[in-house]
């Protein structure tokens, strides 16, 4: 995929650096941008810059926000005694879509992964502990992802939070609603049986 | 997919406006940009602006170029007596990758499509005719895509170019190399039989 004029090749390379974008898709996207209007291209470039410049981390929960406190932390109607700990901002959005949870969040910014050099210092765990200083928070729900790293992070959190005398829980594992037992993997089924509830 | 902070939602929408990018991919790409470094985001935004600002159409062949004449038209080593007419810049790149063709190109900027309001005036046909003014060009190879629109464009070109006394040809249709007869469609097979050559 060489031989493009330099500015086009440069744009192709930029698109290709994005996750899940291969060579042909990068070319298609670069051509689309090149063929868009001058205004659209300017708006796209501006959107990229603004996403970097205007978005910061909430000073309390480390979720993405355009203001000092994110809209969840700034909402007095939310239950400030519960904190749901998640790996990233996408998890907050997923949970918010359910319209079920009314507590606060804490975004770790990843999960423990020693192989990738991510230890407790790389995550926003210090910030989480700082929020537990007064007696406002009574309960922590650990909602890290159901992966090896997410599990390890949950274990680590339970270990350091237990001495604080808080209620600590983990999201339930089990078969997904609408799923088919036939296609559920063994570990999930095992957890579903383990976590069975009286009818 | 609502509830994103505005600058992020804006970027998601920009990505989503690109061809073949759905909602979830747009979110993934927007997050990737947001999580990239300040320098990378600035370079990406700059690449978009430059792709618009620095790329123009070659004044001769209408291919994309950063200079007045594209590198093909500016190359004295190329055969200036043959012009290969293609629909877009991507076709030029595809043909250049073959390292076979040594003539020039002419990029129409699309194909005739009355349904979409694309008539001869919307294509760079006037510019093609201007290049045939002196007697330099002896041969035209019509290499529009093997689609209904590409075919219609080829027909139209042959009609208006025939009176000029040039050699006019069309790329050969047939079964693609490495293909399997079993999977070739009827029209392609028909063209392959029609265009059979002595062994």
């Amino acid at each position: 995929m060489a031989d493009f004029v330099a500015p086009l090749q440069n744009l192709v390379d930029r698109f290709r650096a994005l996750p899940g974008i291969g060579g042909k898709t990068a070319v298609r996207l670069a051509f689309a941008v090149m063929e868009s209007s001058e205004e659209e291209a300017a708006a796209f470039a501006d959107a990229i810059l603004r996403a970097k410049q205007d978005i910061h981390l909430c000073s309390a929960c480390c979720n993405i926000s355009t203001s000092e406190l994110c809209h969840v932390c700034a909402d007095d109607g939310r239950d400030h005694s519960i904190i749901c700990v998640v790996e990233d901002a996408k998890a907050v959005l997923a949970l918010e879509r359910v319209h079920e949870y009314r507590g606060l969040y804490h975004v770790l910014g990843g999960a423990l992964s020693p192989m990738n050099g991510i230890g407790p210092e790389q995550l926003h765990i210090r910030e989480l502990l700082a929020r537990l200083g007064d007696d406002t928070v009574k309960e922590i729900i650990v909602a890290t992802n159901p992966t090896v790293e997410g599990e390890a992070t949950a274990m680590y959190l339970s270990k350091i939070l237990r001495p604080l005398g808080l209620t600590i829980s983990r999201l339930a594992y089990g078969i997904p609603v609408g799923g088919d037992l036939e296609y559920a993997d063994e570990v999930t089924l095992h957890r579903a049986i383990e976590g069975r509830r009286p009818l």
Side-chain angles (χ1 to χ4, degrees), chain A:
Chain A
M1 285 289 178
D3 278 344
F4 286 115
V5 290
L8 183 59
Q9 184 62 49
N10 190 15
L11 186 56
V12 169
D13 294 343
R14 288 286 156 195
F15 272 117
R16 199 165 181 180
L18 295 174
I21 299 294
K24 294 206 168 185
T25 305
V27 170
R28 192 183 68 225
L29 298 180
F31 266 89
V33 168
M34 194 182 67
E35 286 160 4
S36 67
S37 73
E38 197 94 32
E39 292 75 35
E40 281 173 329
F44 191 5
D46 188 57
I48 288 172
L49 294 176
R50 293 217 160 271
K52 278 306 293 179
Q53 288 166 4
D54 296 356
I55 298 179
H56 310 281
L57 297 188
C58 168
S59 62
C61 76
C62 303
N63 189 13
I64 55 173
S65 172
T66 46
S67 43
E68 171 75 15
L69 281 181
C70 74
H71 71 284
V72 176
C73 288
D75 185 350
D76 288 335
R78 310 273 308 207
D79 184 347
H80 282 235
S81 72
I82 312 181
I83 290 180
C84 178
V85 180
V86 296
E87 292 185 21
D88 52 34
K90 277 174 265 196
V92 172
L93 290 165
L95 287 163
E96 283 295 281
R97 271 200 291 278
V98 184
H99 296 294
E100 173 74 28
Y101 178 68
R102 295 297 301 158
L104 304 182
Y105 293 97
H106 191 82
V107 179
L108 293 175
L112 292 176
S113 176
M115 297 273 282
N116 297 311
I118 299 177
E121 326 67 64
Q122 274 72 48
L123 304 179
H124 301 303
I125 290 177
R126 195 185 301 267
E127 289 85 345
L128 174 61
L129 294 176
R131 297 175 73 182
L132 309 176
D134 55 16
D135 281 343
T136 318
V137 180
K138 308 290 184 202
E139 184 176 353
I140 301 275
I141 300 171
V142 180
T144 50
N145 291 328
T147 57
V148 174
E149 291 81 7
E151 266 313 272
T153 310
M155 289 296 165
Y156 177 83
L157 287 176
S158 92
K159 205 181 67 187
I160 59 166
L161 296 179
R162 203 170 303 285
L164 303 178
L166 303 159
T167 306
I168 306 173
S169 59
R170 176 95 174 97
L171 283 192
Y173 275 113
I175 45 168
V177 179
D180 192 319
L181 283 193
E182 192 184 343
Y183 302 118
D185 65 287
E186 291 82 359
V187 183
T188 301
L189 269 182
H190 175 74
R191 296 296 190 98
I193 295 167
E194 210 173 47
R196 66 190 181 280
R197 299 176 58 175
L199 268 177

